Amino acid sequence: RDAPGAAGRPPPGRADEHTLLTVREFRRVPLDASGLALVVFRARPGRAASLIATLGHWSERAVSVYQPTYLLVAHSLEQPTISVLLTGVRERRALQRAQSCPFSLELVLPEVAPLLERAPERYVYCPERVEVLVAPDAV
């Protein structure tokens, strides 16, 4: 809801809030991620179930290929055409395994593209953009 550039946000509790229903979830404990990403998929009318099934099946393969520290595929209760993929990866380990990218959607995009209303929205956690809210001399 609070994505950068979202002008004129409606008040909380309106249609911009979603209850996510888990389709697939994988987590390593403790969560040890250096990179976090969120991808939002919006299905074409009548294609939500196919999109959810495709993402769920793909995520099972992605766990063994990319070995993420966290992976969640979910869809919105309020708007079932919206599905999300949340990943947490340890980028250094991926590079040590000679992967060019710690987590890639390139293998699933051709499969889901016909099911989508528009291109997926991608959000990435960038620690260098986070403001430090603690005083430097705090203990």
Side-chain angles (χ1 to χ4, degrees):
R1 183 181 83 220
D2 295 327
R9 295 184 194 106
R14 301 269 312 258
D16 63 334
E17 291 187 356
H18 300 275
T19 304
L20 296 179
L21 301 174
T22 302
V23 176
R24 293 282 187 273
E25 184 177 29
F26 171 81
R27 62 182 126 176
R28 296 183 195 279
V29 178
L31 175 61
D32 181 23
S34 61
L36 298 171
L38 171 70
V39 184
V40 179
F41 300 88
R42 187 176 298 271
R44 293 177 189 250
R47 298 297 192 151
S50 298
L51 176 63
I52 291 166
T54 302
L55 290 174
H57 180 67
W58 173 81
S59 69
E60 293 172 0
R61 292 178 281 155
V63 165
S64 61
V65 172
Y66 298 108
Q67 299 177 10
T69 58
Y70 184 78
L71 180 139
L72 171 71
V73 177
H75 68 96
S76 170
L77 176 65
E78 292 79 11
Q79 294 183 38
T81 58
I82 295 178
S83 296
V84 298
L85 171 67
L86 178 64
T87 58
V89 296
R90 192 78 187 132
E91 294 168 336
R92 174 178 271 164
R93 284 192 204 137
L95 295 174
Q96 288 171 344
R97 290 192 311 265
Q99 292 176 337
S100 58
C101 179
F103 201 94
S104 175
L105 293 174
E106 300 311 313
L107 296 176
V108 76
L109 286 181
E111 194 173 350
V112 300
L115 307 173
L116 300 177
E117 193 172 81
R118 60 178 177 243
E121 300 170 43
R122 297 178 188 215
Y123 303 91
V124 180
Y125 171 68
C126 299
E128 64 273 5
R129 293 185 187 169
V130 176
E131 295 179 31
V132 177
L133 300 176
V134 178
D137 56 336
V139 179

